[in-house]
Amino acid sequence: MPSRTGPIRIWSVGCASGQEPFSIAMLLAEQLGPVEFCQRVKIYATDLDEDALKAARAATYSPRDVEDVPAGYLEKYFEKTSNHYVFDRALRKCVIFGRHNVVHDAPISRIDLLVCRNLLIYLEGETQSIVLPRLHYALSGEGFLFLGKAETQLGRSPLFRPVETKHRIFSKVAQEWRRPSPSGFGGSRISRVEAQLPSTQLLESVLNESGTALLVVDESGAVAVANKPARHLLGIGDVDIGRPFQDLPISYRPMELRGPIEEVFRQRRSIKLEDQEYRLTQTEVMRLTIDIRPLCRPDGSAHAVVLLFADTTRMYGLERELETAQESLENSIEELQSANEELETTNEELQSTNEELETTNEELQSTNEELETLNEEARSSNEEMESVNEELRIQAEQATSYRIYLESVLRSMNGGIIVLDRKLKIQSWNRWNENAWGLRADEVVGTALNDLDIGMPVQQLVEELASVSATKKEQVERELEGVDRRGRRILCQVTISPLRDENEESHGLVLLFKDVTEERHREEYVRYLGRVVGKSLNEIYFLDPASLRFMLVNEGASQKLGYGKQKLLQMSLIDVLEAPVAGALKTMLMPLMNGQKSEVVFETTLRAADRNYPAEICMQYFAEEHPPILLAMVHDTTERQELAQASG
């Protein structure tokens, strides 16, 4: 048997609807304690009947089914619902159910206790000669075989020795390997199995060390294989092997995988899902490429699919960095082109200024000749002109500095600015407008606003422009929808303000364009989300954390409970719960309110206006909201219980 701290592996062959493996689980939990049991014990329960396995996984039994269970065990290891008993959830995770043919399928290895009660008596002698060596191989060196009352004669095989005949417990007899004779179907079958079993261990090692996360789902929808990288990446444990794939978080996160898996089974061809976002934590995100391939039998039918998960996070990051670099390069090129155009404009202005200075110098020379003939008057006039020139130079420098400063301010603003004169002609056009509409300032200055041909219908602002000009309003706002120079639809908030001096005299108008496209999209999304949640037929309740009163309920909650929304807002969750749960509800919610748990899930009975119905309630607490809110999502379990009763 295993050490006092080592793992314990148990195989229940022919487990039917689960009574045998669950009985073993209760007995070991009593000896080891529930905590140590969950850490050390794995019980593999197999059967040929898929319907029986489904009933076993549900672990739900009628009062008649548990009549032979001692009262103490029944109270300790079962949860009683209205008319059924459900086996303990923590212990149930240590029991792995799976479909297995003990005659044809490879046995589970390294078993410490193999329970095969009242199965061998139904097999013919030739079939027994195949099964017994498989059971012999499955046991570890110090493992035990537990047979049924009618199978004592079968236990006298040379492969096993009796340990306690009264209770039909046997141990494994070590066998030297020898090549079996090829004659006879049974003999060749045994030798082939014994020769291939070490290859299974080698295959497991190869899969675990391959570095690629690999998951296999059989045709019944259960998880058959998960290698070490897959268990580490996807959070899959030993207890998940044999569970339905749809019960695992990976079946719907990062995306819904059940549909593609069904398509692979149906079409028998591979599907590749590129660049799927997989959120490990709130801040850590991976990118996965999921390759789903069929595993086919010799006749071409698929008996399983394999899912390969490749980490493409670094590749995705490099692609995003490349896109960012390209966008930055395009912006730099546009800025460089704009700077070159401004430089050309400045050079033209300098040339014009030089020509004007040359003309002025010629005039000054002529004046100087005339002034020389006038002696004192010429010298006096010259001094006056020099003084005037100095003032003009200073004023020109000040004007140039002011113009450069004003242009810098306009370029730096995150919005479009258009300055119009009294005739509504454009006097100023900043950088934002150039980037948005693709027209430079020198192309539009002096153009009437109504003649402007851009993606924004500014002609619709005629009434607002006239209103601000005539009534001296402080400002008028209007929203316009258009298309920018890249073809992107854009929604702008246009603010029209008068351009006045210190004497309140109007010199024109100022138009400020602000891009509110994303802001409106967010507002519309919030309204859309509110409508969807409000009209959803699922029951959703927003509760006051202190009093548990209903703050907000959706349409599904009102219909299910049979109360109007105004009536529900005067009630609390306690008013619609059955008495035992209602009394203990606040105690149940304490770990959630203290942050010790992220959610609390429990089953109860809800009291509607016209009936009572069973339900599963999931509670979540959002402390970071203002004010904090308690969310209750309710699922009617009537159909589930009816199905459990029918299967029971």
Side-chain angles (χ1 to χ4, degrees), residues 202-381:
L202 177 60
L203 181 58
E204 290 181 358
S205 300
V206 171
L207 291 177
N208 289 333
E209 299 300 330
S210 64
T212 300
L214 179 145
L215 191 69
V216 176
V217 179
D218 62 23
E219 58 186 344
S220 68
V223 177
V225 176
N227 66 353
K228 285 184 180 178
R231 299 185 184 202
H232 176 73
L233 175 65
L234 309 177
I236 297 176
D238 290 339
V239 297
D240 296 320
I241 305 301
R243 289 182 61 192
F245 177 74
Q246 64 182 14
D247 293 348
L248 304 183
I250 190 62
S251 67
Y252 56 84
R253 183 173 64 90
M255 66 167 294
E256 178 60 52
L257 291 175
R258 288 172 291 185
I261 289 175
E262 292 175 0
E263 183 177 349
V264 171
F265 269 116
R266 185 173 58 255
Q267 302 292 337
R268 296 193 297 278
R269 59 182 180 84
S270 300
I271 293 178
K272 198 167 190 178
L273 306 174
E274 303 279 357
D275 188 25
Q276 302 298 319
E277 181 178 290
Y278 183 50
R279 188 170 294 277
L280 300 176
T281 63
Q282 195 68 20
T283 58
E284 186 178 2
V285 178
M286 288 183 65
R287 293 282 173 171
L288 296 177
T289 293
I290 306 174
D291 195 358
I292 308 175
R293 303 178 182 177
L295 300 177
C296 297
R297 300 184 179 94
D299 61 357
S301 63
H303 62 89
V305 297
V306 58
L307 290 84
L308 302 172
F309 298 83
D311 184 0
T312 58
T313 306
R314 187 171 182 272
M315 181 66 71
Y316 179 84
L318 292 176
E319 291 176 355
R320 300 288 81 74
E321 291 176 3
L322 179 58
E323 291 177 359
T324 303
Q326 289 176 343
E327 184 177 354
S328 177
L329 180 59
E330 291 175 357
N331 293 335
S332 299
I333 292 174
E334 291 177 0
E335 292 176 357
L336 181 59
Q337 290 176 347
S338 178
N340 288 334
E341 292 169 357
E342 292 180 359
L343 182 59
E344 291 176 0
T345 302
T346 304
N347 287 334
E348 292 175 358
E349 292 176 354
L350 287 175
Q351 290 177 1
S352 177
T353 303
N354 286 334
E355 292 174 356
E356 292 176 359
L357 287 175
E358 289 176 358
T359 303
T360 303
N361 286 334
E362 292 175 357
E363 293 175 353
L364 286 175
Q365 288 176 0
S366 176
T367 303
N368 285 334
E369 292 174 357
E370 294 175 359
L371 289 174
E372 286 177 358
T373 62
L374 298 175
N375 296 327
E376 293 295 333
E377 291 180 359
R379 284 197 287 275
S380 176
S381 298

Side-chain angles (χ1 to χ4, degrees), residues 334-541:
E334 291 177 0
E335 292 176 357
L336 181 59
Q337 290 176 347
S338 178
N340 288 334
E341 292 169 357
E342 292 180 359
L343 182 59
E344 291 176 0
T345 302
T346 304
N347 287 334
E348 292 175 358
E349 292 176 354
L350 287 175
Q351 290 177 1
S352 177
T353 303
N354 286 334
E355 292 174 356
E356 292 176 359
L357 287 175
E358 289 176 358
T359 303
T360 303
N361 286 334
E362 292 175 357
E363 293 175 353
L364 286 175
Q365 288 176 0
S366 176
T367 303
N368 285 334
E369 292 174 357
E370 294 175 359
L371 289 174
E372 286 177 358
T373 62
L374 298 175
N375 296 327
E376 293 295 333
E377 291 180 359
R379 284 197 287 275
S380 176
S381 298
N382 192 32
E383 291 175 357
E384 290 177 0
M385 290 186 67
E386 289 179 355
S387 177
V388 171
N389 285 336
E390 181 65 22
E391 291 178 0
L392 289 175
R393 185 185 64 79
I394 294 173
Q395 291 178 2
E397 290 178 353
Q398 291 176 347
T400 301
S401 176
Y402 175 75
R403 179 178 61 81
I404 294 173
Y405 174 76
L406 181 59
E407 289 178 352
S408 299
V409 171
L410 293 177
R411 282 198 302 270
S412 64
M413 294 189 66
N414 186 21
I417 297 178
I418 302 177
V419 180
L420 306 177
D421 60 11
R422 292 189 181 95
K423 296 181 180 180
L424 302 183
K425 291 186 176 181
I426 298 173
Q427 300 298 309
S428 182
W429 180 269
N430 73 337
R431 176 68 59 78
W432 189 93
N433 288 316
E434 293 179 352
N435 293 334
W437 316 121
L439 295 176
R440 302 191 306 273
D442 57 350
E443 294 177 321
V444 298
V445 170
T447 304
L449 182 66
N450 288 339
D451 297 335
L452 197 61
D453 185 14
I454 59 176
M456 184 63 64
V458 294
Q459 293 78 11
Q460 298 180 11
L461 299 174
V462 173
E463 294 183 2
E464 287 78 3
L465 294 173
S467 175
V468 175
S469 299
T471 61
K472 295 185 179 181
K473 291 183 178 180
E474 286 300 323
Q475 65 180 25
V476 173
E477 292 185 354
R478 172 79 182 275
E479 287 189 357
L480 293 179
E481 184 176 0
V483 179
D484 65 8
R485 69 184 183 88
R486 296 182 177 86
R488 182 179 67 92
R489 299 193 66 82
I490 183 172
L491 180 65
C492 287
Q493 183 183 56
V494 184
T495 304
I496 305 173
S497 304
L499 180 63
R500 299 193 182 102
D501 58 17
E502 64 275 6
N503 297 323
E504 293 298 320
E505 182 178 354
S506 176
H507 293 277
L509 299 171
V510 179
L511 279 65
L512 174 61
F513 288 76
K514 180 181 179 183
D515 186 356
V516 295
T517 307
E518 294 299 327
E519 181 179 340
R520 292 296 181 270
H521 286 174
R522 287 193 295 270
E523 293 176 356
E524 291 176 1
Y525 176 74
V526 170
R527 289 194 293 269
Y528 168 77
L529 187 61
R531 290 196 302 272
V532 171
V533 172
K535 295 180 180 180
S536 173
L537 295 181
N538 293 323
E539 300 177 59
I540 301 176
Y541 305 87

Side-chain angles (χ1 to χ4, degrees), residues 13-46:
V13 183
C15 66
S17 55
Q19 288 91 336
E20 182 175 273
F22 289 147
S23 299
I24 297 171
M26 288 189 292
L27 292 173
L28 287 178
E30 283 294 307
Q31 296 297 319
L32 301 176
V35 175
E36 187 175 353
F37 173 86
C38 293
Q39 293 175 347
R40 298 180 58 192
V41 178
K42 288 289 181 294
I43 301 176
Y44 301 93
T46 62

